[in-house]
Amino acid sequence: MKKIILVDGNNLLFRSYYATAYNGNFMKNSKGFPTNALFGFHNMLTKIIADEKPEYMVVAFDKGKTFRHEEYKDYKGGRIQTPDELKQQFPIAKELVTLMGYTYFEIDNYEADDIIGTFAAYCDEDDEVIGTIVSSDKDLLQLISDDVDMKLLKQKDYIRYNKETFFEDYGIMPERVIDLKALEGDPSDNIPGVKGIGEKTALKLLRQYHTLDGIYEHIDEIKGSVHDKLLLDKENAYQSYHLATIVKNVDMDISIEDVKCRERDHEKLEKLYEELEFYSFLKKEKEYQKKEPEEVEEVPIVSNIDEIKVEGKCSVYLEILGTNYHHSDILGMAIYDGKNLQFIPKDILVQNPKFLLENEKYTYDAKKVYVALKWLGIEIENITFDSMIAASLLDYNVKDDISYLANNFDYHIPFYETVYGKKKLKAPKIEEVALYAGKKAKFIYETKEILENKLKEEELLKLYQEIEFPLAFVLGDMEYQGVHLDQNTLKEMGKEIEQNVSRLEQEIYKLAGCEFLITSPKELGSILFERLGLPHGKKGARGYSTAADVLEKLKDVHPIINKILEYRMITKLYTTYIEGLLNMVKEDGKIHTIYTQTLTRTGRLSSIEPNLQNIPVRTEYGRLIRKAFVPSKHCVILGGDYSQIELRILAHMSGVQALIDAFNQGMDIHTKTASDIFHVTPEEVTKQMRRVAKAVNFGIIYGISSFGLSENLNISVGEAKHFIDHYLETYPGIQEYMDKQIKQAYQDGYVKTLFHRKRIITELNNSNYMIRHQGERMALNTPIQGTSADIIKKAMVDIGKELKKRKLKTKMILQVHDELLFDCDKDEIEIIKEIIRDKMEHVLKLKVPLKVDIAYGNNWYEAK
């Protein structure tokens, strides 16, 4: 998952200026240039970077007047003119952003809010991108969604809002902020609203009637002066609604990779700090550039295999052009033994130097090294330490690029894209590659002992040695093995989807009364809200919003909406899982994913390029895609799936006897829970009762709120609260367990899994209640989710050892959360079933049994 930080640059500068401009007295340098806003802006931006550790970031600025000024001449008319001292600082602020390695935008006719809104929409549309908005401007709260949250800045702190926490505070959904502004107005922007209606009344109306349209549709039900005020200022209300709506489709031909964070320009930053006379920043910048001891100037390149000198233990770093090592080209390997630092080009490496098998080796991302060399036909053995895995367990900011970790240790190693570029990767001269790789190998060698000692101090060495490190090679074998893809099955499915797309197009055209470009939000919005006259149209400068949340509200209004939603779903399915998977097939006819061990804070594995853990199962087409995943010749796809593992861990950790007894007696836990909370016999439990119980059971693990449960079950918040309260009354031990967990987390500042994986929860120290509440949910779900992740990882290590020990033909090929899939030789089915059951069910002794469901078939679909 990629995360983008969206910073309201205008907001930060104005806040900084007015916080320090006392009666015209503010910071200036010796030349009389004002610097107060820049000083505060720099401090705030630095704090955002430290807190969020962005990989992608945008800073948005206003650029003069906008379309809103054209449409409403008094827009922002009440504001005092921007002081000249502040205006002078804006260009420097933008320069600062650029030199610090980030991207800023300012676009004619639009505000910073609209730029942020467009990136927020990008997050909503792309399943792989999430965003965080940073500003004190409450207008931006309307952009909060399932994929976008917001840090609402306060005087000395902030409130972090997502959909759930916003609803808890305001009682309305975030997108209704537009309706709120339409009613109460906004003096800061000179948006009139309805005269005499304040926030309290506006919220009361919206909680009852939901939208501005809803209020005016029920105007006769509203009595007294509020009724009169609404009628009198109806035109102002709708004009205010339009002005308050943030544009989410500014024409910006960019991708998220265009806003990836770059390396700081230290030289120019130092010069700028000197000019501004920011001496504290200058000092830190010089410290930031601190080089590693005995800076490497040149790394010898070996020209034949006999030149390689390795004495004892060594570190190795494999330099690859590209991030997907199944497809990328190997440039060579740097090696360092504490004395000799050398670079071995690819043509020498393929001659299999003996140190690859003999010497004890340390590296960064052992799995990448192991698999990439396998694709060259090279075996590497005796890797005994992986800095990447060790650092991730120790809560360092670990990425594919080792430079991020190295810079934590004051090793100044350039970022990968600085050396090779961003989009079209190109290797520099071999001497530069050798120097770059050599610095990395030296860093690995010199910090190995530091990381290992920290693992011991934090009591993480056992987790590292018994699970995470050996798992890297199990995953490496799985990735290299790959899984066969029946391309004809996918292509036939693709043809069927294309036919359905054509059918849906014609049905949509018929319902619309004309042909139009369905994928164009502008054309679709015009059809829905002008031609068909559907309600709730939100029109911005570039047309009506046709986002999923808007269409969901119209599902029962007109039959065209369901057709459009289905059209979007199957076209996305076609692009992502038909074309997407077909494009990822290698010459061997297989898909080779990449598993990441260091991405999630709970320890769960992730699958990327392509993501094979996220193939949809809720739609029939999604399920059928699994038919294309087939076994090797004379094999079947066999799967072992943990049954309700997280609920079993909850029963063990909470010690609630009723849950423990239910699992030990082999009862269906959801039926048991439904029976208890609805006070009926198990035989009387209906499907709906079991559905509610299942949602509550799993919701407790995730620290779900009544709002979250109401969203899941499509019921009122009150009903959801009743179910949760009833559950906790039925199993009082759960509440005691939860209270104890949270109390201990506050005390320690972290939580642990049963395997001692640690997650530090800084949110618990925040002065804001909402953020602390998020931390409390993490304190509840991490030990359970993390233990579940540790259990299946340990099972994979144990099964991998057993398969090799018995020299079986069967291969482990996929891990999908609680499920393991095998390319199982037909002659070994019973042996494999026995191994899976034994290893998966006996990873850890709990108060309840671990149970595994095993199935097999001629493809993944049949093995479920």
Side-chain angles (χ1 to χ4, degrees):
M1 187 69 73
K2 296 176 179 179
K3 182 174 181 179
I4 182 171
I5 307 301
L6 305 171
V7 179
D8 185 347
N10 255 63
N11 179 263
L12 262 59
L13 264 175
F14 272 88
R15 278 169 60 88
S16 301
Y17 178 82
Y18 285 108
T20 53
Y22 303 112
N23 300 318
N25 297 317
F26 39 75
M27 288 174 61
K28 296 179 181 179
N29 66 6
S30 58
K31 296 175 183 176
F33 185 83
T35 60
N36 65 320
L38 290 168
F39 188 84
F41 177 82
H42 185 283
N43 276 334
M44 292 170 77
L45 199 59
T46 302
K47 187 170 190 323
I48 291 166
I49 294 161
D51 289 347
E52 301 298 329
K53 299 179 176 62
E55 189 174 357
Y56 302 88
M57 191 163 90
V58 166
V59 182
F61 291 99
D62 293 347
K63 191 178 182 183
K65 291 191 174 183
T66 70
F67 68 91
R68 294 180 181 89
H69 294 88
E70 295 170 11
E71 295 174 3
Y72 180 57
K73 64 177 182 177
D74 293 326
Y75 181 63
K76 296 192 177 182
R79 290 192 178 183
I80 61 170
Q81 193 172 358
T82 304
D84 288 338
E85 291 83 3
L86 176 54
K87 286 180 182 177
Q88 293 175 60
Q89 298 180 65
F90 266 88
I92 310 301
K94 294 163 191 173
E95 186 181 358
L96 264 175
V97 170
T98 303
L99 297 181
M100 290 171 78
Y102 304 101
T103 304
Y104 77 85
F105 284 94
E106 53 179 356
I107 296 178
D108 287 332
N109 215 30
Y110 292 100
E111 296 180 40
D113 290 6
D114 302 318
I115 295 168
I116 291 172
T118 301
F119 277 99
Y122 189 103
C123 297
D124 293 334
E125 293 161 8
D126 192 322
D127 291 339
E128 299 297 319
V129 183
I130 58 174
T132 292
I133 298 166
V134 185
S135 177
S136 66
D137 184 356
K138 289 186 176 182
D139 291 356
L140 290 162
L141 290 166
Q142 65 184 267
L143 300 175
I144 293 171
S145 66
D146 291 331
D147 300 301
V148 179
D149 66 3
M150 179 171 174
K151 286 179 79 167
L152 182 66
L153 302 176
K154 297 294 183 181
Q155 190 171 356
K156 293 183 179 179
D157 206 343
Y158 63 86
I159 301 174
R160 191 158 200 142
Y161 278 121
N162 55 26
K163 276 178 71 174
E164 183 177 325
T165 54
F166 181 85
F167 185 86
E168 288 175 3
D169 257 16
Y170 285 85
I172 59 174
M173 297 304 288
E175 60 266 27
R176 298 279 72 86
V177 167
I178 307 170
D179 306 73
L180 181 63
K181 294 285 181 185
L183 292 167
E184 67 170 345
D186 187 346
S188 67
D189 288 339
N190 203 31
I191 294 176
V194 176
K195 190 174 182 180
I197 299 287
E199 183 180 80
K200 186 176 179 181
T201 303
L203 285 172
K204 184 179 178 181
L205 289 167
L206 289 172
R207 286 166 187 158
Q208 185 171 359
Y209 300 111
H210 307 300
T211 64
L212 187 65
D213 285 341
I215 290 168
Y216 280 104
E217 284 165 10
H218 296 83
I219 191 70
D220 292 337
E221 299 173 16
I222 302 167
K223 306 300 179 186
S225 63
V226 174
H227 171 275
D228 298 338
K229 290 171 184 174
L230 287 167
L231 276 183
L232 185 64
D233 263 352
K234 182 176 180 180
E235 186 178 339
N236 273 346
Y238 276 96
Q239 184 179 42
S240 299
Y241 182 97
H242 175 59
L243 291 171
T245 301
I246 293 173
V247 175
K248 298 171 75 173
N249 55 355
V250 177
D251 190 8
M252 300 170 70
D253 185 18
I254 54 166
S255 73
I256 189 169
E257 296 305 320
D258 294 324
V259 296
K260 192 169 186 178
C261 304
R262 306 177 300 278
E263 191 174 3
R264 297 166 73 91
D265 191 327
H266 299 290
E267 187 178 337
K268 289 183 180 178
L269 269 174
E270 283 189 19
K271 187 178 178 183
L272 183 58
Y273 291 152
E274 284 179 355
E275 289 174 2
L276 296 172
E277 296 171 11
F278 288 170
Y279 296 116
S280 60
F281 299 158
L282 179 62
K283 182 181 176 183
K284 286 179 183 176
E285 195 65 29
K286 289 181 181 294
E287 290 173 355
Y288 192 96
Q289 295 183 73
K290 185 179 172 184
K291 308 289 191 225
E292 68 268 31
E294 299 177 17
E295 171 69 8
V296 179
E297 300 294 340
E298 185 181 1
V299 176
I301 302 168
V302 301
S303 56
N304 66 72
I305 199 167
D306 296 326
E307 289 181 10
I308 299 172
K309 295 178 183 178
V310 190
E311 299 175 15
K313 299 174 183 178
C314 62
S315 61
V316 297
Y317 190 86
L318 193 68
E319 199 65 38
I320 299 176
L321 189 63
T323 56
N324 188 326
Y325 45 82
H326 296 309
H327 306 275
S328 302
D329 189 27
I330 291 175
L331 302 177
M333 176 185 280
I335 178 171
Y336 181 58
D337 62 5
K339 295 179 182 177
N340 305 299
L341 179 59
Q342 297 177 296
F343 182 76
I344 308 166
K346 177 183 173 181
D347 59 339
I348 307 296
L349 204 56
V350 294
Q351 297 175 36
N352 287 282
K354 62 181 182 179
F355 83 89
L356 289 173
L357 299 177
E358 295 177 358
N359 296 70
E360 184 179 331
K361 289 170 282 294
Y362 321 138
T363 194
Y364 183 92
D365 198 349
K367 175 165 64 67
K368 177 173 78 172
V369 176
Y370 177 69
V371 177
L373 289 178
K374 267 183 174 289
W375 286 116
L376 272 184
I378 301 170
E379 293 295 328
I380 185 168
E381 294 180 4
N382 282 327
I383 295 178
T384 59
F385 193 78
D386 186 335
S387 297
M388 184 176 80
I389 294 174
S392 71
L393 290 177
L394 291 165
D395 205 38
Y396 282 97
N397 183 24
V398 171
K399 301 183 183 295
D400 288 341
D401 186 349
I402 191 176
S403 307
Y404 286 90
L405 179 63
N407 291 334
N408 269 291
F409 287 83
D410 293 326
Y411 282 71
H412 184 62
I413 297 176
F415 291 119
Y416 187 90
E417 66 179 35
T418 304
V419 176
Y420 297 109
K422 286 175 68 173
K423 293 182 179 178
K424 293 182 179 180
L425 300 180
K426 184 179 179 182
K429 294 178 181 179
I430 188 71
E431 291 81 8
E432 292 179 50
V433 174
L435 178 61
Y436 189 47
K439 288 184 176 185
K440 297 176 188 178
K442 191 168 184 286
F443 162 71
I444 293 166
Y445 187 92
E446 292 176 347
T447 54
K448 182 261 183 184
E449 195 172 319
I450 296 171
L451 290 171
E452 196 168 47
N453 287 336
K454 285 189 176 183
L455 289 173
K456 290 175 187 174
E457 290 169 17
E458 298 290 336
E459 298 180 338
L460 291 166
L461 193 59
K462 186 176 181 182
L463 173 65
Y464 169 84
Q465 290 177 335
E466 295 185 4
I467 298 182
E468 292 293 347
F469 181 68
L471 179 68
F473 298 97
V474 173
L475 293 172
D477 286 332
M478 290 167 62
E479 291 178 6
Y480 183 72
Q481 176 67 25
V483 55
H484 285 281
L485 195 75
D486 184 340
Q487 297 179 63
N488 289 330
T489 295
L490 272 190
K491 286 174 183 175
E492 287 302 313
M493 198 181 302
K495 289 177 184 176
E496 186 179 330
I497 290 176
E498 285 177 328
Q499 290 171 0
N500 275 328
V501 167
S502 297
R503 171 185 59 80
L504 280 167
E505 282 176 345
Q506 295 309 312
E507 291 174 355
I508 290 168
Y509 295 154
K510 186 176 180 180
L511 289 166
C514 66
E515 292 191 8
F516 64 100
L517 186 60
I518 301 169
T519 55
S520 165
K522 187 174 181 180
E523 290 189 33
L524 177 60
S526 177
I527 292 292
L528 297 181
F529 302 112
E530 292 178 0
R531 186 180 182 90
L532 298 179
L534 301 189
H536 313 308
K538 297 188 292 184
K539 192 172 185 181
R542 298 186 61 79
Y544 294 92
S545 170
T546 57
D549 61 328
V550 175
L551 297 190
E552 284 291 334
K553 293 180 178 68
L554 298 170
K555 284 174 73 171
D556 300 326
V557 176
H558 196 287
I560 197 172
I561 301 298
N562 282 325
K563 300 291 183 185
I564 291 165
L565 289 171
E566 185 182 356
Y567 177 89
R568 284 183 176 180
M569 182 270 293
I570 65 172
T571 52
K572 182 175 181 179
L573 195 93
Y574 181 85
T575 303
T576 307
Y577 296 106
I578 303 294
E579 288 185 333
L581 289 174
L582 287 171
N583 289 336
M584 293 297 288
V585 179
K586 276 182 75 76
E587 297 79 8
D588 57 3
K590 295 180 180 181
I591 291 282
H592 298 268
T593 188
I594 292 175
Y595 287 102
T596 60
Q597 287 175 257
T598 60
L599 192 62
T600 67
R601 292 176 70 189
T602 57
R604 294 186 81 171
L605 291 173
S606 300
S607 165
I608 59 172
E609 298 190 60
N611 183 351
L612 298 183
Q613 295 182 328
N614 203 32
I615 294 175
V617 292
R618 292 184 181 178
T619 63
E620 185 59 19
Y621 274 130
R623 289 189 290 272
L624 290 175
I625 285 171
R626 297 186 176 212
K627 281 191 173 182
F629 290 83
V630 295
S632 304
K633 193 175 289 187
H634 194 65
C635 290
V636 294
I637 298 288
L638 186 146
D641 193 356
Y642 275 117
S643 171
Q644 298 170 344
I645 185 170
E646 291 183 345
L647 290 173
R648 292 172 189 271
I649 294 167
L650 173 64
H652 171 84
M653 296 181 82
S654 68
V656 173
Q657 200 58 47
L659 293 179
I660 292 170
D661 291 344
F663 279 120
N664 285 333
Q665 292 165 20
M667 295 178 66
D668 177 87
I669 194 65
H670 303 314
T671 301
K672 160 71 176 166
T673 300
S675 172
D676 288 339
I677 67 175
F678 288 104
H679 301 298
V680 297
T681 66
E683 293 73 28
E684 293 173 307
V685 171
T686 65
K687 284 185 178 179
Q688 177 58 18
M689 289 177 181
R690 188 180 183 278
R691 179 171 170 259
V692 169
K694 183 177 181 180
V696 177
N697 272 332
F698 284 112
I700 291 296
I701 294 170
Y702 292 95
I704 202 167
S705 66
S706 51
F707 170 82
L709 185 63
S710 72
E711 289 273 291
N712 291 350
L713 293 174
N714 196 25
I715 59 176
S716 72
V717 175
E719 286 179 284
K721 185 176 186 304
H722 169 75
F723 286 134
I724 292 174
D725 290 345
H726 207 165
Y727 178 93
L728 294 174
E729 288 167 12
T730 305
Y731 303 120
I734 294 288
Q735 187 66 63
E736 291 173 20
Y737 160 74
M738 291 164 70
D739 293 342
K740 184 180 176 183
Q741 277 289 108
I742 291 170
K743 183 179 178 182
Q744 192 66 46
Y746 272 111
Q747 205 171 308
D748 298 336
Y750 60 83
V751 291
K752 286 186 175 183
T753 69
L754 293 179
F755 289 84
H756 300 288
R757 182 186 301 278
K758 181 189 287 188
R759 178 177 184 176
I760 296 167
I761 307 179
T762 56
E763 290 82 354
L764 294 173
N765 298 321
N766 199 285
S767 60
N768 180 265
Y769 165 76
M770 290 299 176
I771 298 169
R772 290 200 308 276
H773 189 53
Q774 289 175 1
E776 289 173 4
R777 289 201 294 271
M778 294 174 195
L780 291 176
N781 66 45
T782 297
I784 294 169
Q785 288 182 311
T787 297
S788 170
D790 291 341
I791 283 173
I792 197 162
K793 284 179 171 181
K794 182 69 165 66
M796 293 168 75
V797 172
D798 293 345
I799 291 170
K801 285 180 184 175
E802 194 67 17
L803 294 179
K804 286 189 176 180
K805 178 182 169 185
R806 297 201 195 187
K807 298 181 179 176
L808 295 168
K809 297 176 185 175
T810 295
K811 305 291 183 185
M812 198 181 333
I813 54 172
L814 286 177
Q815 190 260 31
V816 183
H817 305 310
D818 300 333
E819 178 185 20
L820 295 179
L821 291 169
F822 299 82
D823 191 38
C824 180
D825 189 278
K826 290 180 179 178
D827 296 332
E828 296 175 354
I829 290 175
E830 293 308 315
I831 299 171
I832 297 301
K833 285 168 69 176
E834 173 197 320
I835 290 172
I836 290 172
R837 202 172 296 283
D838 176 49
K839 299 301 180 187
M840 291 182 75
E841 293 186 349
H842 297 98
V843 169
L844 183 67
K845 187 170 177 57
L846 301 175
K847 295 170 187 173
V848 299
L850 289 173
K851 289 291 180 185
V852 175
D853 297 323
I854 299 175
Y856 61 88
N858 294 316
N859 53 57
W860 187 2
Y861 181 87
E862 292 180 10
K864 287 295 289 178

